[in-house]
Amino acid sequence: MWVTARFLWILAAIALLLACAPDISLFVPLAIAMGAALAVATLVDAAIGPPAKLISVVRTPPAHFALRTRAELSYTIENASTRSLRIGIIETPVRALRFDVDELDGEVPPRSRTQLVRAVTPLSRGADELKTMYVWYENRIGLLRRRRRIEAST
């Protein structure tokens, strides 16, 4: 698990309050309360998960790639948890393909299956291989990001 940008922004706000505390004494108890709330929210985020075993990601390439013709990689994401998730997918670089976006992200409702599509353009002829996918996901609280590596050679 990794902390998210949201966590860091809240931490920066607490640090700013503490930096201003010598001039305004009200900021110290406010910073302490915010720090305690952040700690509790982070523990709740860690506790409600969801665990990696409830998240499934399957890549489906097109039947055929044509040189310099845009194609689409499809990702089927299954969320078996009771929580809505924000998810991101990063592919291992492939010599023969250019990805239009480096990171594909989307929302997956609880106990549902969603399909995300990423545009790619083949740059050269010949055989190549799509390998590992790196998947991150976070719940609605969004303070912790869970990461997973999925071996999916195609």
Side-chain angles (χ1 to χ4, degrees):
M1 281 188 272
W2 301 82
V3 294
T4 63
R6 180 180 293 172
F7 178 94
L8 295 175
W9 279 110
I10 295 169
L11 198 59
I14 294 168
L16 182 62
L17 284 174
L18 289 173
C20 296
D23 296 332
I24 305 170
S25 61
L26 173 67
F27 284 175
V28 172
L30 182 59
I32 291 170
M34 284 181 65
L38 179 61
V40 168
T42 303
L43 290 172
V44 169
D45 193 340
I48 66 173
K53 67 182 179 184
L54 297 179
I55 312 302
S56 166
V57 179
V58 177
R59 176 197 319 116
T60 307
H64 176 72
F65 287 107
L67 185 62
R68 291 185 181 53
T69 302
R70 178 177 270 175
E72 292 181 338
L73 290 175
S74 175
Y75 301 88
T76 303
I77 301 121
E78 187 168 348
N79 177 10
S81 76
T82 58
R83 308 266 184 240
S84 178
L85 299 176
R86 186 167 162 255
I87 191 164
I89 302 168
I90 302 168
E91 287 277 1
T92 303
V94 178
R95 176 190 56 80
L97 293 177
R98 183 184 74 228
F99 297 98
D100 287 2
V101 293
D102 291 332
E103 182 176 335
L104 180 66
D105 63 359
E107 299 285 329
V108 186
R111 293 193 174 128
S112 68
R113 183 178 294 171
T114 300
Q115 191 166 12
L116 298 177
V117 177
R118 168 185 277 157
V120 297
T121 305
L123 300 174
S124 63
R125 294 186 188 274
D128 209 340
E129 187 176 18
L130 290 162
K131 295 182 182 177
T132 305
M133 292 185 294
Y134 296 91
V135 176
W136 59 261
Y137 58 96
E138 55 192 47
N139 59 35
R140 292 261 184 217
I141 296 173
L143 296 175
L144 297 175
R145 180 172 282 183
R146 291 136 180 94
R147 295 183 180 178
R148 221 173 122 196
R149 177 182 172 154
I150 300 174
E151 297 294 336
S153 295
T154 304

